[in-house]
Amino acid sequence: MSQKCFLQNIGRSSVGTHRKGGDIATIRLNVHNTRPSIIVLTEISEQNNLQGKKGIFRGYICTQHAFTGNRHGAVAVFIHSKGPALVANSIYNSPDGYYTLATYEFGVKKVIVGAVYGPSVAADNIAFTTFSAFFEKMEEHMNRYGTNEMLFLGDFNVKLDQVNAKPRTVKLIHDFLYEYNVTDNGLQSGATWRRPHQHRSKSRLDYVFTSANFKVKNFALKWGKKDHAQITCE
């Protein structure tokens, strides 16, 4: 069963609590045009729980929302009414707002879906601690729900393509990808973030990772007014 994904860092914008709320009119239009099964938004400003909310996007429900009251930027997952079915009681939202995990039924397969908005600070130890906990929770889900199938995506705030200030974190992520045979689907896509008004300053910070047996196609970036590109694939 084909599932289309939509990923966007919305730069501290508000999504509101209904279809005309917040300040994401362009994002709503892009969602309408692409009609994804799964939407992941990062760096959203809402610090009240959106989980279970309907109507922010027409036909979608917010199934996962990790946030904390003292951090700019949360991460949320929205699933279309005809999209994958959430496995009951499988949601885990990190208390620090950095990631959320849940297991879904993609047809006959159970798939772990993770959404990430990684630490934006340069400190390697903070990112390493965050992603260590994320991967531990991934492994817990694998054991609990009897599946190694996974899809995890978001703004990691880590440069996997170049030497940077987070070498331990980069190694940790690469080791996990290798151990569980996970594909980095945007490896040839180029930068997903660029500094406003200084487009030569750019990096790949946003990622879509899937189990290697997934047949991912139509991976595409679309630039708008945000400093991060919109990513879609299926």
Side-chain angles (χ1 to χ4, degrees), residues 22 25 76 80 88 112 126 130 150 153 176 190:
H80 193 271
I112 303 163
I126 295 174
T130 297
M150 65 186 78
L153 65 166
F176 184 87

Side-chain angles (χ1 to χ4, degrees), residues 60-211:
Y60 293 81
I61 182 171
C62 180
T63 52
Q64 300 167 243
H65 182 207
F67 66 97
T68 182
N70 59 4
R71 178 177 188 241
H72 288 293
V75 56
V77 178
F78 301 82
I79 300 293
H80 193 271
S81 59
K82 296 182 180 180
L86 178 67
V87 174
N89 302 314
S90 68
I91 300 167
Y92 176 80
N93 298 316
S94 68
D96 51 20
Y98 288 129
Y99 60 88
T100 174
L101 287 168
T103 301
Y104 293 82
E105 293 175 343
F106 286 47
V108 297
K109 287 184 177 181
K110 285 184 178 177
V111 178
I112 303 163
V113 175
V116 175
Y117 177 52
S120 55
V121 296
D124 193 14
N125 62 320
I126 295 174
F128 182 84
T129 299
T130 297
F131 284 103
S132 293
F134 173 66
F135 291 141
E136 286 175 10
K137 287 295 180 183
M138 290 284 284
E139 290 169 337
E140 285 181 19
H141 268 62
M142 292 180 210
N143 293 328
R144 183 175 302 164
Y145 299 103
T147 182
N148 285 345
E149 306 281 359
M150 65 186 78
L151 158 68
F152 57 103
L153 65 166
D155 175 5
F156 283 55
N157 276 311
V158 175
K159 304 172 188 176
L160 294 180
D161 304 330
Q162 54 188 278
V163 176
N164 62 82
K166 300 178 182 177
R168 292 177 68 219
T169 305
V170 170
K171 183 178 186 303
L172 176 74
I173 294 171
H174 280 307
D175 286 349
F176 184 87
L177 302 182
Y178 178 80
E179 181 175 358
Y180 291 102
N181 196 22
V182 174
T183 299
D184 177 357
N185 291 287
L187 195 58
Q188 307 300 323
S189 68
T192 64
W193 168 86
R194 60 191 184 190
R195 193 178 301 280
H197 312 299
Q198 299 179 34
H199 291 172
R200 290 185 180 181
S201 180
K202 55 188 178 181
S203 301
R204 191 166 72 107
L205 301 178
D206 308 83
Y207 303 91
V208 179
F209 297 111
T210 58
S211 295

